[in-house]
Amino acid sequence: MQKIRLYVAILLGILVKFTLKLFGKDATSAPGKIAIKICPSIIKEIDKRSKLKILISGTNGKTTTNNIINWLIAGDKVVLSNLKGSNMANGIVSAFINNLRSSYDIVCFEVDEGSLPVVTRYLKPDIFVTTNVFRDQLDRYGELDRVKELILSHIGQALAIINADDPNLASFSGEKKVFYSVDENLLSRKTNVTLDSRFCPLCNAKLEYLFYNVGHLGKYECLMCGYKNPESRFVITNIREDSAGFVFDFVDRERDIHIENIKWKMGGVYNLYNVCAAISVAMLIGVEEKRIKERIETFENKLGRLEKKEVDSKKVIISLVKNPIGMSETLSVISNDPDPKAIVFILNDNAADGKDISWIWDADFDILCRIENIKALYFGGKRKEDMALRVKYSEYMLANFEFIDYKEELDKVFEQNDIQKVYILPTYTALFEVKKIVDSLSKRMG
Amino acid sequence: MNMFPEVLNLYGDRGNIICLQKRCAWRGIKANVFEYTLGADQEILKNADIILLGGASDREQSIVYSHLLKLKELIKSLIEDGLVVLAICGGYQLLGEAYIDASGRAIKGLHLLDFVTKAEGKRLIGNIIIETTLEVFPKTVVGYENHGGRTYHDYQPFGKVLKGYGNNGKDGFEGLIYKNVIGTYLHGPLLPKNPHIADFMLKKALERKYAFRALEFQELDDTLEYIAHNRVKELYM
């Protein structure tokens, strides 16, 4: 009976997939939704068909980390993954239906924190990667401490790959674990205004920091109980800036392996954490060092995280922003770019964006003052007025700006002649719409 | 005076400080922001003109709680003297006698005012619009609420709920006014989109400090503030 139910679920899922494809719609979520309705334990089937199971969870960096891991292991292995960021149970089952096979060498899924209970109930990971815990959508997930508990309690029997620089995650008490970290670098800071986590997870005293890399990720120590970064097995070190991003060394301390001078094309220190986590996974499952170096150097992000396109001879950079740290880091990345530019902020408050937009007040918009050559600011989305107000209350002098209906008038932005680049910073529900619009503009204008 | 900003800063509370500071600066009023941190000398509280008490997670709230208890008498006398206080969410609940958690356990509050808060059922979350009892224009105050506790009291409410839940989701009232204390569940960046409330607080603080007359208070161009304010009404009323 259960088997029949499963096959009906898969069949109907496939039907939904083809119907959507027929109408040119994206099938990253709907096929799974219907299949789960019919057979809630369908995720168990994914578990059964897979030799090695990897899950990735945390607040920021899941999609990028997942994409890098896939890029590192792609080729001779049969891999199933949700590369487009549909990371709830529906998305995971959709990935399965869209890429149906009787067995997989590796499944590698990013899982939304809120979906961990239902996913790990059926899918038992062998490797569980944690990225970080930041404040994100308090209306959905509640407090930081709860998110941390949620993640750590679902690692189960897996080998945990833990970010040693996140004081909350690093307190994980399980036995099967390895740590990774990113060394101090040119972009590390000694002080930090937007901190999500300031207290020792063990004794509640205030943590002292030697440096901060991203938000509360950095080198910390509790002077009260002695809690500090655990020794990392995998480290990104000797970090230098390159015109296109970073150059760094990756070290596996346990086996004394050094992969030197890896050229990494993405900006943002947070991406160093993502690539560190991904290489750690690759090392653990036996990808050769030479191949890792080659692959990392040719990795291109295709998913709205600082993605580059061109419209009307103007470069378009689209970067998803959905929480304070992400916004601050993205603005920091832009501040390294001297070219004349327009910046488009798009703020929606739909369920998938988080209905509470308070987070924009925790982001550091004073960074706008350090960005050279801003020719215009645009604000779009359901809560564009709030976004403009946030900028008005930063140190930046809000003078030259315009409200736009991004679904109808995005082309206006490219009409401005004195710019070479357009940065578009949308929240989640606007990301895919904006990408579509930019794609079609790029085709139209060449 | 920003009380324990390193702890009581749940989601966007910083927006209130930024707002008060900017609105002073635009008027040429020098405003100093002090951070009252763990272990600070309580005497400096006496120099405060405005105190902000934000919300925090349960764990972090319990960390500062013992520190706040030591300041109880001082804060009480300052409040009676007309000190301007904005207490949000957890900070609001702390002003009362007790917080009774889901298991029925009573966590003692500062008991500066006579009311209790009880944890009941599901969290009350969403956009909220109220009509305030304060003498300001416009009458509406817009914001976002996210609280598990229900507060019951007989003080003047901050406002009547037009949309959303308010104090307890039952009696139709939101927040509390006592002397120059505003207690509210409108969390995070309440003031930027409600510049009339921000200015109300600044006026009261200036009155107390300099026997200042409201006539001298310079109007600002709040076009963008009210566009954002009205947008919330348009979307969620």
Side-chain angles (χ1 to χ4, degrees), chain A residues 412-430:
Chain A
K412 257 168 88 171
V413 173
F414 301 96
E415 286 164 11
Q416 184 134 356
N417 282 324
D418 54 351
I419 55 169
Q420 289 172 17
K421 283 190 182 136
V422 175
Y423 283 92
I424 307 179
L425 278 43
T427 50
Y428 192 77
T429 58

Side-chain angles (χ1 to χ4, degrees), chain A residues 49-212:
Chain A
R49 296 184 185 197
S50 318
K51 293 194 193 100
L52 178 78
K53 295 156 287 181
I54 304 169
L55 297 186
I56 303 148
S57 199
T59 308
N60 287 331
K62 293 186 287 280
T63 309
T64 307
T65 306
N66 189 20
N67 274 269
I68 307 169
I69 294 174
N70 270 270
W71 182 243
L72 288 170
I73 58 182
D76 42 356
K77 296 264 193 288
V78 178
V79 183
L80 176 65
S81 191
N82 53 344
L83 291 175
K84 287 190 177 170
S86 285
N87 58 19
M88 306 210 199
N90 291 343
I92 285 161
V93 175
S94 295
F96 172 54
I97 288 169
N98 290 339
N99 185 11
L100 212 54
R101 281 174 181 262
S102 57
S103 76
Y104 305 91
D105 295 317
I106 299 173
V107 295
C108 184
F109 291 124
E110 63 156 300
V111 187
D112 176 83
E113 304 88 294
S115 301
L116 279 172
V118 52
V119 172
T120 57
R121 186 174 161 202
Y122 300 112
L123 183 69
K124 305 295 178 196
D126 301 299
I127 293 176
F128 193 116
V129 184
T130 66
T131 57
N132 46 59
V133 190
F134 286 108
R135 290 185 195 182
D136 187 18
Q137 305 186 10
L138 289 181
D139 52 336
R140 266 167 70 193
Y141 302 127
E143 299 157 358
L144 201 77
D145 299 321
R146 276 182 54 201
V147 179
K148 163 197 150 184
E149 283 310 318
L150 189 62
I151 293 173
L152 295 183
S153 67
H154 286 95
I155 292 175
Q157 294 306 306
L159 169 64
I161 301 187
I162 306 255
N163 186 345
D165 294 350
D166 187 320
N168 284 311
L169 292 174
S171 66
F172 176 59
S173 58
E175 301 216 321
K176 283 165 68 182
K177 60 189 169 189
V178 289
F179 290 100
Y180 67 92
S181 63
V182 173
D183 272 356
E184 187 171 15
N185 56 76
L186 288 165
L187 301 176
S188 303
R189 284 169 284 200
K190 296 289 176 194
T191 56
N192 205 331
V193 286
T194 49
L195 270 191
D196 287 353
S197 180
R198 298 162 194 250
F199 295 96
C200 174
L202 303 187
C203 78
N204 286 342
K206 195 173 163 185
L207 287 175
E208 300 298 326
Y209 274 83
L210 214 57
F211 63 84
Y212 301 94

Side-chain angles (χ1 to χ4, degrees), chain B residues 92-107:
Chain B
Y92 170 32
Q93 295 169 351
L94 271 176
L95 297 176
E97 189 187 339
Y99 178 84
I100 298 162
D101 73 10
S103 59
R105 196 166 55 108
I107 301 160

Side-chain angles (χ1 to χ4, degrees), chain B residues 20 48 59 62 81 87 105 144 148 167 171 182 187 209 225:
Chain B
L20 291 173
R59 179 173 81 97
S62 68
D81 185 50
R105 196 166 55 108
Y144 198 90
N167 281 336
D171 62 18
I182 300 175
H187 80 188
K209 193 177 177 99
E225 282 79 351

Side-chain angles (χ1 to χ4, degrees), chain A residues 135 137-138 143 145 198-199 204 206 349 355-356 358 361-362 382-383 385-386 392-395, chain B residues 6-7 9 11-12 14 18 22-23 57 59-60 187 189 192-193 221 225 227 231-232 236:
Chain A
R135 290 185 195 182
Q137 305 186 10
L138 289 181
E143 299 157 358
D145 299 321
R198 298 162 194 250
F199 295 96
N204 286 342
K206 195 173 163 185
D349 66 352
K355 288 180 184 293
D356 184 0
S358 302
W361 290 90
D362 286 327
K382 266 171 79 191
R383 301 302 292 268
E385 300 82 4
D386 274 90
K392 179 179 174 181
Y393 279 84
S394 73
E395 293 299 310
Chain B
E6 52 196 352
V7 191
N9 70 339
Y11 241 29
R14 242 177 106 223
I18 296 172
K22 283 272 167 191
R23 297 184 73 78
S57 69
R59 179 173 81 97
E60 301 201 313
H187 80 188
K193 263 198 306 274
D221 176 5
E225 282 79 351
I227 288 177
R231 178 73 175 152
V232 178
Y236 298 107

